[in-house]
């Protein structure tokens, strides 16, 4: 890994950091048959003026490759995970339903408060009472015990809404989880995001953006447990108890196809982070990958292509472009640091969510959409073993916490796949 270059943080002006209000209805209007919805005329400019414009934003320099053809995502972004530079973007602040990619914010918010990961919890009936109909499930059962680690694997690998609800109960309940997620999103300056359900299940007014989802991934990846779970391709999950007290287990596979190679070619250097699907959101995906010491983040939301697994293929094409274009394009914006990194106040992302304020929102009634987590096709082989040490970084000291920026994460190459257990 090459020596880390110190890159000064650019602090976005106060005007750009203020909340930019856009009617969520503009993001979730019903599609007209044969016609794609258009992004709103005015979008947030957090991260740079160009990021608030509609359409594709890129500044190609000498020798830079052109962007991939046939990109159909309503919104996408390619950014350097370490220095935060946005290499290219397309409607990155369009507020759209996020589906299970919102689980990245859930994990980044709740994970620090649920330690150690060996902590055990016995599931109660009420913990699973409000799981949405048609939700993706890992197979959590009432009256059985699970470790925190088991449940997080259920969240990241199978996108289990049942595991999210149990973790929320352990955390203090869904209203608290939702309120803290919203507060943490605001701390991260993810101002396009409105949290209604902790699992990303479609709910009225629940929206995020490609820009915000990328912020969530970047913040979450600074946590060793988050990195470990999101890069795990396959694991054992506790099942029913046999007579005599012996616990069965069953295999679960990550639904991130670029990680497992299920139906698409595995992406070399991929290390997570989260995919999602609902009928409102379409397919959504945020991924992180490393090549030759460069770490990139990409988010794609709701591609219109009818090609199988289009969200993964478009994400892979954008990652390929980003690695080829790095150093040959002028950034069109930046991934902003948390508020507390900019102001020197607050708890900071490195220590979990900012203090909760206001009342959280619970479920807003049942959704008619379906969250799917099927990972059909070939398995692509076991899990991914990753080194969790930190090669270096630049510390921004906060009042009560630390946020690490320009950090190198030792991400895995899929050639080194090892069984997790």
């Amino acid at each position: 890994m090459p020596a880390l270059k110190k890159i000064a943080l650019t602090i976005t002006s106060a005007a750009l950091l203020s909340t930019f209000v856009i009617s969520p209805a503009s993001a979730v209007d019903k599609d007209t048959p044969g016609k794609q919805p258009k992004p709103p005329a005015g979008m947030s400019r957090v991260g740079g003026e160009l990021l608030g414009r509609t359409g594709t934003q890129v500044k190609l320099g000498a020798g830079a490759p052109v962007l991939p053809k046939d990109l159909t995502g309503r919104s996408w972004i390619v950014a350097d995970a370490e220095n935060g530079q946005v290499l290219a973007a397309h409607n990155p602040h369009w507020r759209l339903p996020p589906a299970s990619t919102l689980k990245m914010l859930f994990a980044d918010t709740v994970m620090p408060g649920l330690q150690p990961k060996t902590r055990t919890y016995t599931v109660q009936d009420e913990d699973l009472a409000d799981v949405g109909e048609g939700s993706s499930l890992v197979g959590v059962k009432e009256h059985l015990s699970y470790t925190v680690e088991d449940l997080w694997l259920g969240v990241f690998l199978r996108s289990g809404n049942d595991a999210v609800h149990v973790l929320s109960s352990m955390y203090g309940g869904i209203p608290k989880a939702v309120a803290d997620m919203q507060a943490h999103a605001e701390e991260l300056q993810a101002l396009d995001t409105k949290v209604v359900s902790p699992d990303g299940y479609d709910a009225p007014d629940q929206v995020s953006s490609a820009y915000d989802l990328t912020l969530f991934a970047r913040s979450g990846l600074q946590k060793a447990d988050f990195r470990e779970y999101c890069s795990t391709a396959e694991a054992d999950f506790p099942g029913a108890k046999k007579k005599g007290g012996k616990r069965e287990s069953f295999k679960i596979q990550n639904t991130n196809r670029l990680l497992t190679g299920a139906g698409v070619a595995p992406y070399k250097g991929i290390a997570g982070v989260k995919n999602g699907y609902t009928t409102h959101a379409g397919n959504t995906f945020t991924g992180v990958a490393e090549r030759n010491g460069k770490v990139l983040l990409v988010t794609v939301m709701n591609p219109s292509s009818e090609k199988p697994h289009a969200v993964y293929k478009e994400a892979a094409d954008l990652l390929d472009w980003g690695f080829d274009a790095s150093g040959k394009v002028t950034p069109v914006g930046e991934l902003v640091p948390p508020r507390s990194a900019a102001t020197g106040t607050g708890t900071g992302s490195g220590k979990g969510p900012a203090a909760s304020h206001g009342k959280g929102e619970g479920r807003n009634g049942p959704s008619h959409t379906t969250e799917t987590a099927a990972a059909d096709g070939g398995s692509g082989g076991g899990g991914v073993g990753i080194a969790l040490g930190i090669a270096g970084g630049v510390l921004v000291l906060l009042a009560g916490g630390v946020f690490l920026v320009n950090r190198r994460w030792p991400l895995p190459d899929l050639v080194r796949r090892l069984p997790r257990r």
Side-chain angles (χ1 to χ4, degrees):
M1 189 73 66
L4 183 69
K5 296 181 179 179
K6 295 184 179 180
I7 302 178
L9 280 172
T10 301
I11 305 303
T12 309
S13 66
L16 296 183
L17 299 184
S18 60
T19 302
F20 197 93
V21 179
I22 303 174
S23 171
S26 65
V28 294
D29 288 339
K30 293 182 179 179
D31 295 354
T32 302
K35 185 177 181 181
Q36 288 294 315
K38 295 182 179 180
M43 291 183 285
S44 169
R45 296 183 181 183
V46 171
E49 189 272 336
L50 291 178
L51 301 184
R53 297 183 182 179
T54 58
T56 301
Q57 307 301 320
V58 65
K59 294 183 178 180
L60 301 177
V66 297
L67 282 164
K69 295 180 180 180
D70 302 324
L71 294 174
T72 67
R74 291 185 183 176
S75 174
W76 54 258
I77 189 171
V78 184
D80 189 305
E82 296 175 314
N83 60 35
Q85 293 176 348
V86 176
L87 306 184
H90 179 77
N91 304 322
H93 281 294
W94 192 354
R95 302 179 75 192
L96 297 166
S100 284
T101 45
L102 194 65
K103 289 181 171 77
M104 294 186 295
L105 174 61
F106 173 74
D108 192 37
T109 303
V110 170
M111 194 173 286
L114 295 178
Q115 297 292 337
K117 61 184 179 181
T118 54
R119 175 180 166 187
T120 301
Y121 178 78
T122 300
V123 178
Q124 305 300 309
D125 292 339
E126 56 268 25
D127 297 337
L128 301 177
D130 294 328
V131 175
E133 182 179 354
S135 286
S136 52
L137 305 172
V138 65
V140 174
K141 301 298 183 183
E142 298 90 339
H143 314 301
L144 293 179
S145 62
Y146 301 86
T147 66
V148 168
E149 181 180 27
D150 291 331
L151 294 168
W152 282 123
L153 287 169
V155 170
F156 278 96
L157 273 66
R158 296 304 302 171
S159 205
N161 289 3
D162 48 356
V164 169
H165 280 244
V166 174
L167 288 165
S168 296
S169 295
M170 296 176 68
Y171 185 71
I174 286 178
K176 174 176 169 55
V178 167
D180 285 0
M181 288 169 68
Q182 188 67 58
H184 190 39
E186 293 169 9
E187 153 67 10
L188 294 176
Q189 302 197 63
L191 304 181
D192 300 322
T193 298
K194 172 70 181 297
V195 183
V196 179
S197 67
D199 49 25
Y201 189 82
D202 282 334
D205 298 328
Q206 180 157 268
V207 289
S208 190
S209 68
Y211 184 89
D212 285 9
L213 293 173
T214 308
L215 290 180
F216 301 152
R218 191 183 187 213
S219 179
L221 285 164
Q222 297 191 60
K223 297 174 175 62
D225 286 348
F226 186 107
R227 295 197 304 275
E228 179 184 7
Y229 298 138
C230 79
S231 67
T232 298
E234 186 178 89
D236 294 323
F237 193 80
K241 280 188 178 180
K242 290 183 176 180
K243 290 182 179 180
K246 186 177 180 181
R247 190 83 177 265
E248 295 179 332
S249 66
F250 55 92
K251 293 287 185 183
I252 57 174
Q253 187 184 65
N254 203 312
T255 54
N256 176 354
R257 296 173 185 272
L258 292 186
L259 187 65
T260 64
V264 299
Y267 192 85
K268 187 175 181 180
I270 194 74
V273 284
K274 193 70 189 75
N275 57 298
Y277 173 81
T278 67
T279 53
H280 264 145
N283 287 287
T284 60
F285 177 70
T286 298
V288 63
E290 179 187 34
R291 183 179 296 175
N292 298 325
K294 177 67 68 176
V295 183
L296 296 183
L297 280 162
V298 63
T299 296
V300 177
M301 300 187 76
N302 201 349
S304 60
S305 172
E306 296 182 358
K307 295 179 180 178
H309 316 312
V311 74
Y312 299 104
K313 293 176 180 178
E314 293 186 20
D317 288 345
L318 285 168
L319 283 169
D320 284 343
W321 174 85
F323 286 121
D324 290 342
S326 182
K328 303 172 186 175
V329 296
T330 300
V332 295
E334 64 166 349
L335 300 178
V336 294
R339 286 188 186 277
S340 46
T343 63
T345 60
T347 60
S349 151
K351 292 291 184 180
S356 174
H357 56 83
K359 293 183 179 180
E361 299 180 56
R363 286 202 169 274
N364 218 335
S367 172
H368 63 276
T369 59
T370 301
E371 177 82 30
T372 61
D376 54 325
S379 68
V384 177
I386 69 172
L388 294 178
I390 299 301
V394 179
L395 291 175
V396 177
L397 300 179
L398 312 176
V402 172
F403 183 73
L404 214 74
V405 295
N406 302 336
R407 176 183 210 165
R408 287 205 179 278
W409 306 289
L411 301 178
D413 185 314
L414 279 180
V415 172
R416 302 182 325 214
R417 290 189 216 145
L418 298 172
R420 178 182 166 76
R421 294 177 182 174

